Amino acid sequence: MSHHFQLRSSVLPLRFFPGGLGARLSCNEPKHLGNSSSVGVAVASPARTMQRHQAKATAKEVGVQETAQGSAALGWAARDASGVLSPFDFSRRAQKDDDVTIKVLYCGICHTDLYTIKNEWGTAMYPVVPGHEILGVVTSLGSGVTKFKAGETVGVGYFLGSCRSCECCGNGYENYCSGMVLTSNGIDREHGGEVTQGGFSDVIVANQDYVVRVPDGLPLAGAAPLLCAGVTVYSPMMRFGLNAPGKHLGVVGLGGLGHVAVKFGKAFGMKITVISTSPGKREEALERLGADEFLVSRDPEQMQAAFGTMDGILDTVSAWHPISPLFALMKPMGQMVFVGGPTKPLELPAYAIVPGGKGIAGNCVGGIRDCQAMLEFAGKHGITAVVEVIKMDYVNTALERLEKNDVRYRFVIDVAGSLGSTA
Ligand code: NAP
Ligand code: ZN
């Protein structure tokens, strides 16, 4: 999700989480090549060439410079709104002085990837290589790189560029910069206007300022989802004081984001109540994740019993759902934070917030500083996601299962174990 509100006239209102330019390009490429486990297949891509061409033309209009082509990369891409991924050969840009080249080891599958590849936000620029929960190892670096060494374990999250000169960038909120460059399905103006391709690929090149260090000791596959899911819940918890010991936080939706929020909340010393549509998640929420209470949101009696008890709520739900009953769970002046990006607008009657003076905010991932702080905190407290590690040839099945809410709680692709690496 871009999770970013991009200030472009071409952006549709639907684009809750915009990404790159608003250009949407048609694609006549052949569909799905099957769930092949053979990853060495070069996919002919005349339509891709055409798209790149169009994307560059668009970028030129905004005054970008072309850069030299870089190295070969292999990823899995969606070619159209079916969202089916298949092997895809492409190029990574040349490494510049202040860049690191990263061999991708693991990449999480975020619900945002699903919206993007199916063009549910109307932002897809096919072919789309998804993936923005990237964990890898530095294999090479430019002469100006001071922050990282070869062999270090690092991460790249939802974005890998921003304007560096606006108020948001100056204050460490690159995630709210209107020039933010999404890691996948974004337009990289600084680097030739290429459409960016994400972490479902063997290698990525990124400027050192948009790369974070992964603390030693964290299991790698479980750490990958922290790069998006982790920072997306940690950042608003810090920003809205929903990290104070003893405070009561409700977490709506026990998925990739929600289950990590429970872990951070418990590490902060909070009381955590999960609010879920899935009664089958109760036991795990309480026993494995350490939540204090579990409410089934479709059970009015359980909801009534928790009336007015929470200091804040983090809503991570990916689909339309009733929200008035959630506001009723909060104490007066409680703070609601939405991080989910349902494509259909939510309904908010004024009476749900006016009488109790309740607050509403949104949050889109987090800045690089927050992301690094989140990782340090996770390292100290041993926080990782609960993951189902898969090979790339399972990715289409995983995406179908994610759509059906059938994952506990994050799929992570063993990218290096599936694709090898050219890095
Ligand atoms: P996810 O793993 O699919 O989790 C979403 C959860 O929402 C599900 O586990 C389910 O929890 C609940 N849910 C699903 N359908 C529902 C429905 N019809 N009614 C009520 N609850 C429902 O997704 P995710 O990767 O955590 O992402 C969650 C949302 O956040 C997505 O919209 C994603 O695009 C967005 N996102 C935002 C940011 C940001 O920066 N703001 C970053 C990443 C992702 P229960 O089974 O417990 O009900
Ligand atoms: Zn994400």
Side-chain angles (χ1 to χ4, degrees):
M1 209 170 259
S2 163
H3 320 177
H4 313 299
F5 303 83
Q6 205 137 21
L7 308 175
R8 287 197 163 271
S9 57
S10 54
V11 173
L12 299 171
L14 173 65
R15 188 173 206 169
F16 179 46
F17 297 106
L21 291 177
R24 275 163 296 128
L25 308 167
S26 64
C27 178
N28 303 318
E29 213 165 320
K31 285 197 180 180
H32 176 35
L33 298 179
N35 249 1
S36 167
S37 59
S38 160
V39 294
V41 184
V43 178
S45 54
R48 172 182 179 270
T49 311
M50 184 191 75
Q51 286 187 330
R52 295 283 189 208
H53 214 70
Q54 290 180 14
K56 282 181 179 172
T58 310
K60 272 180 183 157
E61 284 163 21
V62 297
V64 301
Q65 298 297 314
E66 300 279 342
T67 55
Q69 284 295 303
S71 53
L74 173 63
W76 276 47
R79 318 304 166 107
D80 57 37
S82 71
V84 173
L85 305 184
S86 53
F88 174 59
D89 284 321
F90 65 107
S91 300
R92 286 294 180 195
R93 65 178 173 78
Q95 176 185 282
K96 298 198 326 191
D97 284 354
D98 46 4
D99 287 338
V100 293
T101 299
I102 300 164
K103 171 181 172 166
V104 180
L105 300 178
Y106 292 99
C107 188
I109 307 182
C110 176
H111 208 109
T112 297
D113 293 318
L114 195 55
Y115 296 133
T116 306
I117 58 177
K118 295 200 160 192
N119 202 21
E120 289 182 25
W121 287 334
T123 59
M125 293 175 279
Y126 297 109
V128 173
V129 177
H132 56 262
E133 293 184 336
I134 301 170
L135 187 140
V137 60
V138 175
T139 52
S140 116
L141 23 90
S143 57
V145 172
T146 52
K147 298 182 178 174
F148 301 99
K149 298 191 292 278
E152 236 177 316
T153 308
V154 294
V156 175
Y158 190 65
F159 61 95
L160 40 55
S162 66
C163 84
R164 296 171 182 265
S165 57
C166 70
E167 196 177 333
C168 291
C169 286
N171 291 327
Y173 292 105
E174 305 90 351
N175 50 320
Y176 298 120
C177 167
S178 61
M180 181 186 59
V181 180
L182 300 188
T183 298
S184 164
N185 196 50
I187 297 269
D188 196 348
R189 292 173 201 77
E190 247 187 78
H191 299 103
E194 284 281 334
V195 177
T196 56
Q197 302 293 4
F200 292 13
S201 64
D202 55 357
V203 59
I204 190 161
V205 177
N207 182 286
Q208 62 172 339
D209 294 334
Y210 299 89
V211 175
V212 285
R213 187 169 298 99
V214 177
D216 292 339
L218 279 182
L220 300 183
L226 297 177
L227 276 307
C228 173
V231 72
T232 298
V233 298
Y234 175 92
S235 188
M237 288 168 89
M238 303 301 283
R239 189 172 139 212
F240 296 103
L242 297 174
N243 62 339
K247 277 202 177 177
H248 184 185
L249 178 71
V251 175
V252 192
L254 198 63
L257 269 56
H259 90 286
V260 174
V262 173
K263 290 192 171 195
F264 278 112
K266 289 314 296 174
F268 287 136
M270 305 180 77
K271 174 175 179 183
I272 302 293
T273 295
V274 171
I275 303 150
S276 170
T277 58
S278 307
K281 292 179 180 174
R282 173 188 295 273
E283 200 177 316
E284 267 184 359
L286 299 177
E287 287 170 20
R288 183 167 185 189
L289 302 173
D292 299 283
E293 309 272 355
F294 186 93
L295 296 180
V296 176
S297 52
R298 290 172 180 159
D299 181 332
E301 275 179 30
Q302 289 187 26
M303 294 292 276
Q304 179 59 35
F307 179 87
T309 58
M310 299 176 192
D311 295 289
I313 291 182
L314 198 55
D315 186 327
T316 74
V317 173
S318 53
W320 185 91
H321 58 293
I323 58 171
S324 290
L326 300 175
F327 282 93
L329 297 175
M330 292 196 294
K331 296 175 187 171
M333 293 180 283
Q335 177 69 49
M336 167 72 79
V337 184
F338 288 103
V339 294
T343 49
K344 210 175 136 203
L346 301 173
E347 289 159 25
L348 178 66
Y351 69 74
I353 55 169
V354 171
K358 292 169 185 170
I360 306 182
N363 183 80
C364 181
V365 288
I368 295 296
R369 184 182 57 202
D370 270 8
C371 192
Q372 190 64 62
M374 176 277 302
L375 284 168
E376 303 304 334
F377 184 86
K380 201 167 148 207
H381 294 269
I383 295 174
T384 51
V386 175
V387 297
E388 185 173 337
V389 180
I390 61 164
K391 297 289 187 201
M392 191 66 89
D393 61 5
Y394 187 77
V395 70
N396 289 307
T397 307
L399 288 161
E400 280 170 24
R401 285 183 50 198
L402 176 61
E403 193 156 35
K404 289 188 281 192
N405 194 12
D406 175 22
V407 53
R408 307 274 176 101
Y409 287 89
R410 196 57 135 193
F411 286 114
V412 171
I413 305 168
D414 173 10
V415 177
S418 307
L419 300 183
S421 177
T422 51

